[in-house]
């Protein structure tokens, strides 16, 4: 990413409110051993907020820490491909 964009690109972790087939019973229950109860999205935004709100919040948090010019949206919590597009 750095070579592509000329600077570090930061990830904004989003929570789309998805679940996971390894948790909801379609395949299993309990989830993967390395996955937290938050679907490894402990540092992602809140699913109660819209994606737009989570992006704005993530950008503001990053801006308080360091000058950031590039970031990508990243659906972190649970299984992003397990929801309608
Ligand atoms: S969200 Fe991903 S890592 Fe977590 S239990 Fe489901 S499949 Fe495993």
């Amino acid at each position: 990413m750095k070579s592509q964009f000329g600077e570090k690109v930061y990830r904004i972790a989003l929570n789309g409110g998805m679940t996971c087939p390894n948790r909801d019973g379609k395949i299993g229950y309990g989830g993967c051993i390395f996955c937290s109860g938050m679907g490894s999205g402990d540092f992602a935004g809140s699913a109660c907020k819209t994606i737009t709100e989570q992006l704005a919040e993530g950008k503001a948090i990053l801006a308080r820490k360091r000058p950031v010019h590039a970031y990508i949206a990243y659906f972190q919590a649970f299984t992003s491909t397990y929801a309608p597009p």
Side-chain angles (χ1 to χ4, degrees):
M1 295 296 269
K2 194 171 184 179
S3 66
Q4 177 77 22
F5 295 102
E7 62 183 315
K8 181 169 178 152
V9 177
Y10 290 83
R11 185 175 60 186
I12 296 177
L14 304 172
N15 187 338
M18 288 86 166
T19 180
C20 160
N22 290 318
R23 290 179 179 274
D24 71 0
K26 184 171 184 179
I27 294 174
Y29 295 98
C32 302
I33 195 166
F34 51 81
C35 186
S36 76
M38 295 290 292
S40 293
D42 304 74
F43 301 102
S46 169
C48 297
K49 296 179 179 173
T50 66
I51 296 303
T52 302
E53 290 169 335
Q54 291 181 53
L55 279 171
E57 191 173 271
K59 286 165 61 177
I61 291 170
L62 284 171
R64 284 198 296 267
K65 294 179 180 175
R66 57 186 65 88
V68 175
H69 307 105
Y71 27 75
I72 59 170
Y74 183 84
F75 284 97
Q76 175 70 56
F78 299 105
T79 305
S80 304
T81 54
Y82 191 54

